[in-house]
Amino acid sequence: MQTDELRDYLNANWQTLRIDILKSNYTPQAVRKVEIPKQQGGTRMLGIPTVTDRLLQQAIAQWLGPKNEEKFSNYSYGFRPGRNDHQAVLQAQVYLNEGYEYVVELDLEKFFDKVNHDRLMGTLAKQIAEKRTLN
């Protein structure tokens, strides 16, 4: 389904989708894997969810994000609202001008492939009481 078809799909299927979610019967569809070229050479695997799954992921992210934003370091710029890589570079320049000699960059490449999912879900379960959301 294309994104411009989502509204009509939801108008026709929202009640069924809602019931599946509320009864914990909803199962996300398989993710399409696409290799995209990296600027430095090589490729990176990108997973593309279905439009419906992406809508639900975004809804959860919009609810969960603000609850966790205050827990992040002020020195963290990746995937944060109102922050970007250009700001990180500008802040690094400020530190270098102040006399600091090192800049540390961390890349979360393959983070979700390697993270301990039981520990991650345990951490999320401490702040999300709704088991269906965790599922």
Side-chain angles (χ1 to χ4, degrees):
M1 173 184 347
Q2 299 296 314
T3 55
D4 60 356
E5 300 170 271
L6 181 60
R7 181 180 305 273
D8 290 340
Y9 173 81
L10 290 176
N11 284 335
N13 297 287
W14 174 245
Q15 287 303 323
T16 302
L17 180 61
R18 181 178 178 274
I19 289 167
D20 284 346
I21 292 168
L22 292 174
K23 290 186 175 183
S24 297
N25 291 332
Y26 180 79
T27 303
Q29 299 298 306
V31 173
R32 178 185 298 164
K33 293 183 180 180
V34 177
E35 288 188 10
I36 58 172
K38 294 170 84 173
Q39 288 182 348
Q40 306 87 341
T43 60
R44 177 172 72 92
M45 190 64 70
L46 177 67
I48 304 174
T50 67
V51 175
T52 304
D53 290 344
R54 183 67 183 106
L55 171 78
L56 295 173
Q57 290 169 5
Q58 187 62 36
I60 292 168
Q62 286 180 6
W63 172 77
L64 195 56
K67 295 178 180 302
N68 289 284
E69 183 60 28
E70 65 188 33
K71 298 175 185 174
F72 283 93
S73 167
N74 283 332
Y75 307 105
S76 173
Y77 289 86
F79 302 101
R80 305 268 309 279
R83 294 178 180 238
N84 59 47
D85 53 345
H86 299 288
Q87 292 169 320
V89 169
L90 289 173
Q91 185 61 58
Q93 289 172 334
V94 167
Y95 291 140
L96 292 171
N97 290 335
E98 290 176 352
Y100 291 93
E101 298 181 16
Y102 300 98
V103 174
V104 177
E105 176 198 9
L106 300 174
D107 186 354
L108 297 178
E109 180 181 1
K110 299 186 180 178
F111 171 79
F112 287 104
D113 294 339
K114 298 177 181 179
V115 69
N116 181 323
H117 283 91
D118 290 336
R119 186 171 178 190
L120 174 62
M121 294 306 295
T123 299
L124 288 172
K126 291 176 185 173
Q127 63 182 8
I128 302 171
E130 181 60 55
K131 297 299 182 201
R132 291 176 294 215
T133 302
L134 292 169
N135 286 336

